[in-house]
Amino acid sequence: MRGKYDDIIHLPHHVSITRPHMPMRDRAAQFMPFRALTGYEDAVRETARLTEERVELTEEERSVLDGKLQKLVDALPGHPAVTLTYFQPDKRKAGGAYVTASGRLKKIDDLAGVLILMGGERIVIEDIMDIR
């Protein structure tokens, strides 16, 4: 029985006279997976990342927070130790995260509406949820 390629199976391998031989590493690169959707995995990961919604304080909670803020103003010359829980908006999508920062209070900037800690961290007063 005669095979389909019997007439060419024993011919010598063709070697080009004009083109250099391609290294095996470069030949393998031809068959690497093709990524048509560059950045797709990053987009899926970003969409799956969870954020929290900002909680609005009640009038009573806002009043208690204002009282704590006033105590900080009174104790400011002594650079009181403070722990603040505040909402930090997400830069890429709706929502954000609640963050806790501790340190010594350096200054209250009423004009900018921020508390400045000794380490230079600036916290927007409107974003503060709790002061300890």
Side-chain angles (χ1 to χ4, degrees), residues 45-116:
R45 201 172 307 114
E46 177 62 25
T47 302
R49 189 172 55 86
L50 299 177
T51 58
E52 296 180 70
E53 293 296 320
R54 180 189 296 258
V55 175
E56 293 300 323
L57 297 177
T58 64
E59 283 298 317
E60 184 178 324
E61 291 169 328
R62 179 59 64 188
S63 177
V64 169
L65 195 59
D66 287 342
K68 290 179 179 181
L69 192 56
Q70 186 57 49
K71 285 181 184 177
L72 280 179
V73 169
D74 296 342
L76 189 57
H79 302 292
V82 65
T83 299
L84 304 164
T85 301
Y86 63 98
F87 184 78
Q88 187 173 44
D90 195 292
K91 292 181 170 96
R92 295 184 181 167
K93 60 197 285 188
Y98 284 96
V99 180
T100 301
S102 294
R104 294 203 160 278
L105 186 61
K106 178 179 182 181
K107 177 180 171 181
I108 298 176
D109 186 344
D110 290 326
L111 191 60
V114 295
L115 297 180
I116 303 171

Side-chain angles (χ1 to χ4, degrees), residues 12-19 21:
H13 177 71
H14 173 72
V15 178
S16 175
I17 300 170
T18 58
R19 299 186 188 270
H21 184 71

